[in-house]
Amino acid sequence: MKKTAVILYPQFSEYELSIVLSILMQGNKTMVTVGLDNHSIRGESGLTCVADTTIREINIEEIDSIVMPGCLDIKTLLNEETLFEFLKQAVTKETIVASISSSPYLLAKAGLLTGKKYTVGLPMEAIEKLGVFDKGKYCDDLVVQDGNIITARGRGFIEFGIRLGKALNLEFDEGWYEG
């Protein structure tokens, strides 16, 4: 069974991963955490993680899905060319990609949102200033799925996780996450 790669970078948003990780666990989906390098990674709330592997070391043949949390300051990743190259190589039409909050910027910069409807947790001024988004494809919805790409705004983290679980055809109790 192929794995879900959960990409971690400095200042990643821990809460945006909470439902995703729970659904992957319920659905018995193997996951692997992937860092930019082999240093420990501190999330925006202070949780420190050590990734299982790095984007240089992971075998992309072993993954069928990618999860990307938002980042407190997405500008810190503007020049992470290794990350953009990884995304370009790893994402195929069959790869399910789930990106939340500010992380759709990373997909847009890698050219993976071209022609796709999307949402993002950035203000319109930032979307315009970054210069990588097609404003005509922007949707104001909380979660948007266009083919194999799922994007969400940060506060949509519950629906985001559920949408990913369904896209991966996992068996999980959706009612577990109702308020």
Side-chain angles (χ1 to χ4, degrees):
M1 176 192 264
K2 291 196 173 191
K3 302 173 187 173
T4 296
V6 179
I7 311 299
L8 302 177
Y9 22 76
Q11 301 181 31
F12 73 93
S13 179
E14 296 96 332
Y15 83 90
E16 293 169 352
L17 292 175
S18 61
I19 304 302
V20 165
L21 297 176
S22 177
I23 288 172
L24 292 173
M25 185 266 314
Q26 274 193 55
N28 293 312
K29 178 72 170 160
T30 304
M31 67 148 199
V32 58
T33 54
V34 183
L36 302 177
D37 53 38
N38 57 8
H39 296 102
S40 61
I41 307 153
R42 190 171 179 91
E44 71 180 17
S45 298
L47 180 69
T48 300
C49 298
V50 176
D52 298 318
T53 189
T54 71
I55 56 175
R56 292 178 195 262
E57 297 168 342
I58 190 167
N59 179 354
I60 60 175
E61 301 298 321
E62 294 179 357
I63 62 173
D64 63 1
S65 47
I66 297 172
V67 175
M68 300 170 58
C71 178
L72 186 61
D73 183 4
I74 199 69
K75 291 181 283 189
T76 62
L77 300 173
L78 289 177
N79 297 313
E80 288 292 340
E81 291 304 319
T82 307
L83 174 59
F84 301 117
E85 285 306 312
F86 164 77
L87 291 171
K88 288 175 190 175
Q89 291 175 14
V91 177
T92 66
K93 290 178 185 175
E94 294 79 36
T95 308
I96 302 295
V97 180
S99 178
I100 189 169
S101 187
S102 58
S103 70
Y105 162 76
L106 304 171
L107 296 178
K109 184 162 182 185
L112 300 172
L113 289 183
T114 303
K116 301 268 188 186
K117 292 184 285 181
Y118 69 92
T119 194
V120 61
L122 295 171
M124 192 52 71
E125 311 87 66
I127 291 171
E128 292 171 359
K129 186 177 180 180
L130 288 167
V132 295
F133 290 100
D134 177 351
K135 289 190 315 184
K137 294 290 185 176
Y138 174 80
C139 296
D140 200 35
D141 298 338
L142 202 53
V143 178
V144 173
Q145 183 169 356
D146 189 337
N148 63 321
I149 307 281
I150 302 166
T151 55
R153 289 187 274 145
R155 63 186 171 89
F157 70 102
I158 294 173
E159 185 181 336
F160 174 72
I162 291 169
R163 189 79 62 97
L164 174 64
K166 289 179 178 179
L168 292 171
N169 296 311
L170 299 179
E171 288 187 31
F172 63 98
D173 180 3
E174 189 175 336
W176 182 259
Y177 307 103
E178 293 176 2

